[in-house]
Structure formats: C-alpha cells, structure tokens
Amino acid sequence: LYKNPPCFSLHKPLLSSHTSPLFSLTKHKRASLSLCSIMAACVETSRTDTSQLSQNPNRSTKDDHGFKYVKYWRPSFNNHVSGIPFCKNHTNFIPARRAVDDDHDPGEESDDLWVKMQDEARSDVEQEPILSKYYQTSILSQESLQSALANHLSVKLSNLSLPSGTLFEIFQGVFLEDHEIVKAVTHDLKAVKERDPACVSHAHCFLNFKGFLACQAHRVAHKLWSQGRQSLALLIQNRVSEVFAVDIHPGAKIGRGLLLDHATGLVVGETAVIGNNVSILHNVTLGGTGKVCGDRHPKIGDGVLIGAGTCILGNIRIGDGAKIGAGSVVLKDVPPRTTAVGNPARLLGGKENPFKLDRIPSLTMDQTSHITEWSDYVI
C-alpha cells in the first residue's frame, strides 16, 4: 500500500471537481479512497521528510542536520524510548552506542567484559532477589559499560545541591568524547579482579569497590582539568574525597590497570604521575616536601607495588617494577626492580648492589617475600 500510493499529490487541491478523478466516484467510495490515500502519503512523508520536526518552521533541513545539541538520558529499563532527536543522518553526530562502537571501537574487550558483567549481575539477582531493582537500575537496564558507570558514579557522588542528573551528563559526555578512558576502565576492572582475592566478580568491583570508583571519577576530573574546566574538576575531586575518602588532585596523571586496594586515606598530589599496572594500598601519600613549587610530586613507574601507609615525598622517581614496603618513607629515587623499606627507606641488598626482583610486584601482590632476605626478626 505504502510503496505504491495513488497517483495524485497532496500538493494538488482535492476540492476541485473538474481536475480530480475522485469526484467521478460515488460519495462513499470517494471518501474511502481519499482517506486511504492521505494515510499512505502521510506515512511516506513521515519516513522521508524530517524538516517539519524543526522547532523553527522557517529553518532549513540543512540547519536541522547541523543540530549539535545532545540531550543525554539515563535509562532504567530496556524498553525506554531513546532520547536521540529524530534526524535522517543523526548517526553523524548523536552518540548512539552502536555508531560509537563502529567508528571508534574501544576494543572488543570492553564489549565482552560488559556482557560478562551482565551475566554476573543476573546470577547475583537469582541468589538475592531482594537486590533485583538495584541490579536492574545499575547494570541490567544500561546500554553499555560507560553508561552504567556514568549512572553509578552520578548516584554515588550526588547531593542536594548537585543532582545526579547533572553529574550523569558530565560523566557520560566525557566517556563518549574520550574512548581511551573507556579502555582504561576495562583494564582497571580486570586488574582488580585478577589481583584482589576479595573481589568475587567484575560486577562486584564495579558496584562496591570504592578504589575503582574513585579512580574512574578521577579520570573524568582529569579530563575536565586538562580542558581548563578547573572549577568543575575540583568539585568532582571534593565529592570523591568526601564520599570515598580518596583525595586525588585532578591534575595528577594515572595509567591503566590501576588497583587501589581499599583506597581509604590515599592522597595523590597535583603533579604526580602513576604508570600502568600499578598496585597501591590504603593510606598511601604521593606528596610534596612542602618547600618546592611547580613539579613537586613523585613519578611512579609501571608495575610498581606500594605498601600500606607509605609516604613518597618530592619529585622523585620510583623505577619500573619496584616494590615499596608498608610504612616506608621514601625521599630519594628507587631504581627499577628493587625493594625499598623503612623510615627513611633503604634498598634491600644495599645501595651499591641491591637485590633485583625477577617478577612484577604489582601483579604478584607479594609484600612479605623480602623479609627473610633482610631480617632475622621473628615474632
């Protein structure tokens, strides 16, 4: 019916008896055919012409196609109607998830992990039906990992003067703009699951591990900071500090695969740099000495393990694969693949010929193997 509409056009008048064949029919047939024709033409028009949807009837179709405003929405059920404006070529500028995945694929790992997290969530709901609404809102109704994370962080960090809807738009906007952040989120989730025996699933980490959540909120704050939006970045830092007891300056740079185990009391200064695949326990300070301005905070290499209660102060370098024992105060550079312990910290084996580690400490999470090598103390 719709592929072959009647030969007359809606642009021609229907009220002229000498120009329209409709008036040669009976009144009943004429009305029936007219109604069917109008319906067919209307459906065809709605499929092909979108200019009528413009808020300004004088605006051209070209202007509508250049419409840049995006209204983000937060789904809570799978059958929600999309908040994407209607437009024939909306995939050119609207952040639909599939269009983003095709054009700027963050990697199949993210998709696979998201599917696995949803399976874990369903399993948890079967075991604890009382949590079904919580899991539905947080994971099962969400379209993607980044959408779920934006939703979860916005709920966690919101307060009376900072609505969750506002935070959701901020987080979602950054995730859609910077796909490297989404990749880093995937690496962080896997790092926690692999290194922390207390983590029972990726969904568990995503929902309940404040070290992971604080890290992802910082990634957003750092992006805003680098764009010159310092007030907003500092606001997010403040909320993360209040909610998670983790204080990371938005200027600090962090890599992928980061594990913040427990995370309570962690302080990271503005010019600090943390490499990839680093593991940091609670009550760690990466701070300044208090007497230097500018670049004044530590630089942590890849694969480093930093024990609980450690203070690393000043613009010093902790080499790749190094291990810092719990409770240490580090004031000087630590060479790669060595172990530093004590207050002030000293290298195991001595400064001239320190013992070299043959495994990456941040992955093994071994914090006690060095004891037999340097001390005969026995409790």
Side-chain angles (χ1 to χ4, degrees):
L1 174 63
Y2 301 140
K3 292 182 179 178
N4 300 289
C7 59
F8 72 89
S9 170
L10 284 181
H11 299 292
K12 298 179 180 180
L14 298 180
L15 300 179
S16 176
S17 60
H18 65 277
T19 59
S20 174
L22 289 175
F23 285 87
S24 64
L25 304 175
T26 65
K27 181 178 180 181
H28 175 73
K29 292 181 178 180
R30 186 165 63 238
S32 176
L33 178 58
S34 178
L35 177 60
C36 292
S37 301
I38 292 174
M39 290 175 61
C42 287
V43 172
E44 187 67 16
T45 301
S46 68
R47 291 179 172 181
T48 59
D49 182 13
T50 58
S51 62
Q52 59 183 316
L53 296 172
S54 171
Q55 296 293 327
N56 182 354
N58 298 321
R59 185 168 60 178
S60 66
T61 302
K62 182 178 180 180
D63 291 335
D64 278 342
H65 291 174
F67 187 61
K68 296 299 183 181
Y69 176 75
V70 179
K71 181 175 180 61
Y72 298 115
W73 62 288
R74 181 165 40 172
S76 57
F77 296 97
N78 287 328
N79 61 350
H80 258 290
V81 177
S82 173
I84 299 174
F86 292 99
C87 183
K88 288 168 62 176
N89 63 344
H90 69 272
T91 53
N92 291 339
F93 59 90
I94 296 298
R97 182 172 67 92
R98 181 48 51 194
V100 168
D101 290 346
D102 291 341
D103 297 336
H104 307 280
D105 186 8
E108 293 184 359
E109 282 185 306
S110 298
D111 292 336
D112 293 341
L113 182 59
W114 176 239
V115 172
K116 187 172 185 178
M117 285 176 57
Q118 290 183 310
D119 291 339
E120 294 171 346
R122 294 187 187 96
S123 177
D124 289 347
V125 170
E126 290 179 1
Q127 297 179 12
E128 291 290 349
I130 195 173
L131 298 177
S132 60
K133 184 176 180 180
Y134 175 62
Y135 275 91
Q136 179 71 18
T137 302
S138 302
I139 295 179
L140 296 177
S141 69
Q142 302 296 329
E143 288 189 330
S144 62
L145 176 59
Q146 53 265 40
S147 175
L149 183 57
N151 175 74
H152 196 49
L153 286 175
S154 66
V155 172
K156 288 282 189 180
L157 300 178
S158 63
N159 59 21
L160 293 178
S161 60
L162 188 61
S164 60
T166 300
L167 286 172
F168 176 81
E169 292 185 5
I170 295 170
F171 289 124
Q172 180 78 322
V174 171
F175 292 149
L176 292 172
E177 178 185 353
D178 191 340
H179 301 284
E180 291 301 316
I181 292 181
V182 180
K183 291 182 182 179
V185 171
T186 302
H187 284 272
D188 292 346
L189 272 171
K190 291 184 176 182
V192 177
K193 181 63 175 65
E194 292 170 358
R195 300 178 213 165
D196 189 349
C199 182
V200 297
S201 69
H202 297 95
H204 178 217
C205 169
F206 177 87
L207 294 174
N208 304 317
F209 276 42
K210 69 177 186 177
F212 167 79
L213 295 174
C215 181
Q216 310 324 314
H218 167 75
R219 295 189 188 281
V220 174
H222 178 71
K223 180 67 175 181
L224 297 171
W225 180 269
S226 64
Q227 294 175 338
R229 305 176 69 182
Q230 297 184 354
S231 297
L232 184 54
L234 291 170
L235 174 61
I236 293 175
Q237 175 203 4
N238 177 258
R239 288 301 297 149
V240 170
S241 179
E242 292 176 339
V243 175
F244 299 130
V246 176
D247 194 355
I248 307 177
H249 192 282
K253 300 177 182 178
I254 62 176
R256 300 179 181 179
L258 181 61
L259 167 61
L260 304 181
D261 196 358
H262 299 288
T264 302
L266 174 66
V267 177
V268 179
E270 176 184 3
T271 60
V273 177
I274 301 175
N276 297 321
N277 301 314
V278 172
S279 296
I280 302 176
L281 280 81
H282 51 285
N283 286 325
V284 167
T285 298
L286 304 182
T289 61
K291 58 184 180 180
V292 178
C293 298
D295 193 356
R296 60 196 183 278
H297 297 108
K299 311 298 181 284
I300 310 300
D302 298 340
V304 172
L305 171 62
I306 303 177
T310 294
C311 290
I312 304 177
L313 306 178
N315 185 12
I316 60 176
R317 170 78 183 180
I318 308 299
D320 295 346
K323 182 195 300 186
I324 310 298
S328 299
V329 177
V330 184
L331 302 174
K332 295 183 178 181
D333 291 349
V334 176
R337 297 173 50 207
T338 61
T339 301
V341 294
N343 182 7
R346 293 177 172 83
L347 297 178
L348 297 188
K351 183 177 180 180
E352 301 301 327
N353 189 27
F355 295 130
K356 291 288 185 176
L357 299 171
D358 56 1
R359 302 176 68 186
I360 301 176
S362 67
L363 303 184
T364 64
M365 297 296 291
D366 184 357
Q367 303 176 63
T368 61
S369 63
H370 60 276
I371 291 179
T372 57
E373 300 171 2
W374 67 275
S375 175
D376 296 329
Y377 178 75
V378 178
I379 296 178

